[in-house]
């Protein structure tokens, strides 16, 4: 936590230089995370220029730098640092006004914490799910950090109720449910095709949309020099058929939506873990 406070206290240009230097050092060291990022990006960009790996690490470092500093920003600074087209903003505004809530499913792109802070800054209630990290103290720090930003956080495991039950209830109460959904953290993920390979993605977003009727959007985030940019892609689950088939088809549509955004901004996809089967 002391490190977090230090990053917040630094002038922004100084923090940017420090995190960029750390990213460049990680690129030179070429450790396991950098190597995994390279392999993942090669699946996206077969003729991968290695500078894209460097840029990907810089983007990832920027995510952490901005995430650490988010709690010090005013509501207006959060709004000013985020861009969404008027059309896509109207989609969200209408969905939240209808009272059915909305399911926002995101890959690990851009700054998803900034996106969550923007949702909260619009006055919309928001809930997400957090992986239970080890040690427990680290997990609690991240829980406190996200709760301070104004979001409700449901543990992926070890909670009193199943996460999907809590999220479905929140949708019925008009919440925005925001879920990172391009990597399966369970053994019950849905197999999908993704950039020519096979991987598994969580079934949760599809199940929630089918179960509650809440609108479902695949959300891709990327960076400009000064902002996080969001692009929404509506996913409409099939209306008929067995539930497992509908969930699989919907999750594939989400994977396709992610792929569109990642192909446009591959340097902002922060996937440093094994993904493809």
């Amino acid at each position: 936590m002391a490190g977090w406070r230090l990053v917040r206290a630094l002038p922004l240009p100084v923090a940017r230089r420090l995190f960029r230097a750390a990213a460049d050092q990680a690129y030179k060291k070429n450790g396991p995370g950098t190597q995994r990022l390279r392999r993942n990006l090669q699946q996206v960009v077969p003729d991968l220029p290695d500078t894209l790996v460097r840029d990907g690490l810089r983007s990832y470092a920027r995510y952490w730098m901005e995430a650490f500093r988010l709690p010090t920003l005013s509501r207006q600074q959060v709004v000013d640092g985020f861009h969404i087209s008027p059309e896509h903003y109207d989609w969200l505004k209408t969905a939240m006004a209808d009272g059915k809530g909305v399911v926002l499913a995101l890959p690990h792109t851009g700054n998803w914490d900034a996106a969550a802070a923007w949702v909260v800054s619009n006055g919309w209630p928001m809930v997400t799910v957090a992986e239970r990290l080890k040690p427990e103290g680290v997990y609690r720090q991240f829980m406190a950090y996200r709760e301070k930003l104004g979001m409700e956080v449901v543990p992926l495991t070890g909670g009193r109720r199943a996460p999907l039950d809590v999220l479905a209830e929140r949708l019925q109460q008009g919440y925005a449910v925001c879920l990172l959904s391009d990597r399966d953290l369970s053994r019950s993920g849905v197999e999908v095709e993704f950039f020519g390979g096979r991987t598994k993605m969580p079934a949760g977003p599809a199940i929630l949309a089918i179960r509650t009727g809440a609108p479902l959007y695949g959300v891709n985030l990327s960076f400009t020099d000064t902002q996080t940019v969001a692009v929404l892609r509506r996913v409409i689950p099939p209306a008929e058929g067995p539930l497992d088939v509908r969930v699989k088809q919907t999750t594939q549509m989400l994977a396709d939506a992610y792929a569109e955004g990642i192909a446009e901004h591959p340097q902002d996809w922060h996937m440093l873990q094994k993904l493809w089967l």
Side-chain angles (χ1 to χ4, degrees):
M1 293 296 287
W4 290 19
R5 287 193 294 269
L6 175 61
V7 174
R8 294 171 191 171
L10 289 172
L12 181 57
V14 175
R16 282 174 173 163
R17 287 197 297 270
L18 285 175
F19 275 75
R20 186 182 180 110
D24 289 350
Q25 186 64 25
Y27 174 67
K28 291 176 183 176
K29 285 186 176 180
N30 196 33
T34 300
Q35 293 175 36
R36 174 57 66 184
L37 177 63
R38 180 179 290 106
R39 288 193 291 271
N40 287 340
L41 287 175
Q42 281 175 334
Q43 190 82 20
V44 176
V45 185
D47 297 325
L48 178 72
D50 213 58
T51 52
L52 186 57
V53 180
R54 179 204 63 195
D55 292 344
L57 291 169
R58 288 177 175 178
S59 176
Y60 189 42
R62 174 178 170 175
Y63 158 73
W64 282 109
M65 186 273 293
E66 292 186 355
F68 287 153
R69 296 173 68 91
L70 265 176
T72 67
L73 301 184
S74 67
R75 176 188 174 279
Q76 191 59 50
Q77 286 174 315
V78 170
V79 171
D80 290 345
F82 194 84
H83 175 77
I84 185 170
S85 73
E87 179 186 14
H88 292 187
Y89 173 75
D90 285 344
W91 290 351
L92 289 180
K93 187 176 179 180
T94 299
M96 296 304 291
D98 285 345
K100 290 185 177 180
V102 62
V103 182
L104 303 174
L106 304 86
H108 287 76
T109 54
N111 188 336
W112 47 92
D113 284 319
W118 178 83
V119 169
V120 172
S121 293
N122 277 274
W124 299 326
M126 198 216 90
V127 62
T128 189
V129 173
E131 180 184 3
R132 190 174 287 277
L133 303 171
K134 293 183 179 181
E136 182 73 12
V138 173
Y139 167 72
R140 292 192 179 279
Q141 286 179 7
F142 273 97
M143 287 278 285
Y145 157 74
R146 292 194 163 100
E147 287 170 349
K148 187 175 181 180
L149 294 177
M151 50 184 119
E152 179 183 354
V153 184
V154 177
L156 179 63
T157 57
R160 287 178 293 178
R161 298 171 60 195
L164 278 180
D165 291 342
V166 177
L167 298 179
E169 183 178 275
R170 293 294 180 269
L171 284 170
Q172 292 168 350
Q173 295 167 350
Y175 276 60
V177 173
C178 301
L179 301 171
L180 287 168
S181 308
D182 57 343
R183 185 167 70 94
D184 181 45
L185 297 176
S186 70
R187 296 185 178 181
S188 57
V190 177
E191 189 170 315
V192 295
E193 182 177 343
F194 194 55
F195 287 108
R198 305 297 295 176
T199 187
K200 286 188 175 183
M201 294 187 180
I207 292 174
L208 286 169
I210 293 169
R211 184 170 158 186
T212 68
L216 171 62
Y217 291 96
V219 184
N220 284 288
L221 304 173
S222 60
F223 288 129
T224 66
D225 288 343
T226 59
Q227 291 182 307
T228 294
V229 177
V231 174
L232 276 59
R233 291 173 169 87
R234 179 73 188 267
V235 172
I236 301 176
E240 298 180 354
L243 178 61
D244 60 338
V245 174
R246 295 167 68 198
V247 168
K248 182 176 178 61
Q249 291 173 341
T250 304
T251 306
Q252 181 64 63
M253 287 189 280
L254 272 178
D256 294 342
Y258 298 156
E260 286 187 55
I262 292 168
E264 292 168 359
H265 303 280
Q267 74 281 357
D268 291 327
W269 185 42
H270 310 144
M271 185 54 66
L272 278 69
Q273 294 83 25
K274 185 178 186 299
L275 189 69
W276 280 275
L277 301 178

